[in-house]
Amino acid sequence: MSLSWPVDCELGTDCYIQQYVDHDPSQAAHDFTCSSLTYDGHKGTDIALPTLAALNHDVTVLAAADGVVLGIRNNMPDQLFTEDTAATVKGRECGNGIVLEHDDGWVTQYCHMKQGSISAQRGQRIERGEPLGLVGLSGKTQFAHLHLSVRKDGEVVDPFTPNTFGECGVDSKTLWDVSIPYQAGGLIASGFASAIPTLADIRAGQADEAPIPASAPALVFWTYIFGGRTGDVVSLHIQGPAGEFLDTATTLTKTQAQLFRAGGKKRRNETWPAGDYIGTAQLVRNGEILDTQRYEMTLPSE
């Protein structure tokens, strides 16, 4: 069995892997590297879009291998999972999706797809790389992503370590037909704002205000992070038209799947100086840089 990348996106640019299969049989959780990019009982690989706004780009879900359609659900709304929607999602946590049967007892399942986007029919033969539908926000989810599950004879298989389960770093063979590097955490997006944004606005893709008005009450640079661990250091730096504007670093005190950090200054003069403002964010773990993002904003002269 071999699998092709199932989303029409470039990993590390316009999508990222938020969660892997849980290899820990206890109530704790760890992924195939013994790291924390999973949660208890997670049975698939979550390929995430950077924000909810990315759903407007209609990102295509692709068949990972040749197969036959076993089942489809296509009528659930795209909405954030909340306590108010829990009852309607119960028993349908996968949301809209499609199940493909492959040779020799292999099955793949594609979850959280966009309502009405699946055009295949039950019993239809599908070829590897064929479009199945679109990434969505249906079912039990609070971020836009495709959840891909792989099973062999009814048992969960981690495509990154198909021959071992519950062990770490002992199996270098994967089911993927391309090299997929493991990223233990990283920066999803960064931007400028006139106040510290909310996590909800960042997730929605509505937090970046660049270029901010010259009369904005504050000038803030923020960064959105996945896979943050206790002890990680998040640094934020702004180089302004007059030189260094901001240089700050914070150490994370807990492990979180998603989080953000922001820093800036309140306006003391009539307007912010015109010119280029270059924001740089870094995520550092154990003294090594995991990820860096650079974002530039130009304030025009009035």
Side-chain angles (χ1 to χ4, degrees):
M1 179 68 169
S2 70
L3 300 175
S4 298
W5 185 243
V7 180
D8 186 17
C9 66
E10 184 178 349
L11 187 63
T13 300
D14 48 14
C15 63
Y16 64 100
I17 298 178
Q18 175 67 66
Q19 311 279 7
Y20 295 84
V21 173
D22 176 24
H23 281 248
D24 193 323
S26 73
Q27 292 184 347
H30 66 252
D31 62 29
F32 71 97
T33 71
C34 273
S35 189
S36 57
L37 280 182
T38 188
Y39 58 85
D40 185 32
H42 192 238
K43 299 178 180 180
T45 303
D46 289 347
I47 303 167
L49 305 184
T51 65
L52 298 181
L55 292 171
N56 297 326
H57 300 312
D58 288 345
V59 180
T60 304
V61 175
L62 308 169
D66 297 345
V68 175
V69 177
L70 276 183
I72 291 171
R73 185 186 296 121
N74 204 19
N75 61 356
M76 293 182 67
D78 292 282
Q79 59 187 8
L80 293 171
F81 176 79
T82 65
E83 291 183 0
D84 293 336
T85 64
T88 62
V89 170
K90 186 176 181 179
R92 303 189 298 168
E93 287 82 1
C94 175
N96 301 314
I98 184 168
V99 179
L100 298 183
E101 182 179 40
H102 312 282
D103 294 336
D104 301 321
W106 289 94
V107 171
T108 54
Q109 183 176 12
Y110 309 75
C111 295
H112 309 305
M113 294 172 66
K114 184 175 286 190
Q115 184 178 24
S117 71
I118 301 172
S119 59
Q121 303 295 321
R122 186 181 178 90
Q124 180 179 341
R125 178 161 293 277
I126 301 292
E127 294 184 0
R128 179 189 302 267
E130 187 173 335
L132 299 177
L134 303 174
V135 177
L137 191 68
S138 59
K140 189 176 182 180
T141 181
Q142 293 184 319
F143 62 102
H145 73 286
L146 173 74
H147 170 100
L148 174 71
S149 292
V150 181
R151 296 186 290 274
K152 175 73 164 69
D153 298 327
E155 297 295 324
V156 174
V157 175
D158 186 343
F160 289 89
T161 55
N163 298 319
T164 57
F165 199 84
E167 301 178 70
C168 303
V170 297
D171 184 9
S172 60
K173 183 180 180 181
T174 78
L175 296 182
W176 301 109
D177 62 5
V178 294
S179 176
I180 301 177
Y182 177 84
Q183 187 174 5
L187 305 179
I188 303 169
S190 301
F192 285 97
S194 58
I196 295 177
T198 65
L199 182 57
D201 281 344
I202 290 174
R203 284 175 169 169
Q206 300 173 348
D208 184 28
E209 301 178 43
I212 67 169
S215 59
L219 194 158
V220 173
F221 182 59
W222 56 265
T223 192
Y224 184 25
I225 304 156
F226 78 95
R229 289 192 210 163
T230 301
D232 286 355
V233 176
V234 181
S235 65
L236 299 171
H237 182 270
I238 302 175
Q239 188 74 15
E244 185 175 271
F245 181 87
L246 177 74
D247 189 19
T248 184
T250 57
T251 300
L252 302 185
T253 58
K254 61 181 177 179
T255 296
Q256 291 179 272
Q258 293 183 346
L259 65 146
F260 81 97
R261 289 294 181 268
K265 294 182 179 180
K266 293 182 178 181
R267 180 170 53 83
R268 297 181 180 277
N269 301 315
E270 291 185 2
T271 59
W272 293 110
D276 295 334
Y277 292 81
I278 302 170
T280 303
Q282 281 191 336
L283 178 64
V284 178
R285 179 170 298 161
N286 298 325
E288 295 186 4
I289 298 173
L290 282 188
D291 205 358
T292 301
Q293 284 195 352
R294 183 179 183 273
Y295 189 71
E296 184 172 338
M297 170 183 72
T298 301
L299 297 188
S301 301
E302 290 191 344

